Amino acid sequence: MPMYGTPFMRRKLYIHFTVEFPNTLSPEQCKNLEAVLPAKPKTQMTDMELDECEATTLHDVNIEEEMRRKQQQAQEAYDEDDEDMHGGGAQRVQCVQQ
């Protein structure tokens, strides 16, 4: 997912779905679903349409754990900046004029 203000940098987008499927459907329920859902495609997708598709892999994710990890990474970045500002990095050398 592109980041706001920096379209070339990408981030992960997490979507949490909770779906409960019934074990069985009556014929009337099937007809009601067909009336609400989009119509079945009548033709196969063309090669050009298939080329425009983006393949992806879905993974199970623990959102709370991911948020903690992101916060920890952000805190580590701030800590590194603090070290640089307080002399925690390499020694600076000045050239001597002759």
Side-chain angles (χ1 to χ4, degrees):
M1 179 98 195
M3 293 174 56
Y4 177 77
T6 53
F8 299 108
M9 293 185 68
R10 304 280 182 181
R11 296 180 73 181
K12 294 180 181 177
L13 171 67
Y14 296 101
I15 301 173
H16 180 87
F17 293 101
T18 303
V19 180
E20 295 181 19
F21 291 99
N23 292 330
T24 60
L25 291 175
S26 69
E28 183 180 333
Q29 290 173 321
C30 288
K31 288 180 185 178
N32 290 339
L33 278 175
E34 287 177 351
V36 179
L37 294 175
K40 294 178 185 178
K42 295 177 182 169
T43 60
Q44 292 278 335
M45 292 179 75
T46 65
D47 288 338
M48 189 167 74
E49 289 172 326
L50 288 173
D51 287 342
E52 292 176 1
C53 293
E54 183 176 329
T56 188
T57 305
L58 297 178
H59 299 279
D60 288 333
V61 176
N62 182 334
I63 297 296
E64 289 83 15
E65 185 178 313
E66 283 294 318
M67 295 302 290
R68 280 193 298 271
R69 188 177 62 80
K70 290 287 185 187
Q71 288 174 346
Q72 182 180 6
Q73 286 178 343
Q75 184 60 42
E76 288 172 1
Y78 285 122
D79 291 344
E80 289 174 8
D81 288 345
D82 287 344
E83 288 174 5
D84 291 342
M85 292 179 71
H86 299 304
Q91 296 288 332
R92 298 199 179 255
V93 178
Q94 289 184 333
C95 296
V96 178
Q97 293 182 357
Q98 296 181 355

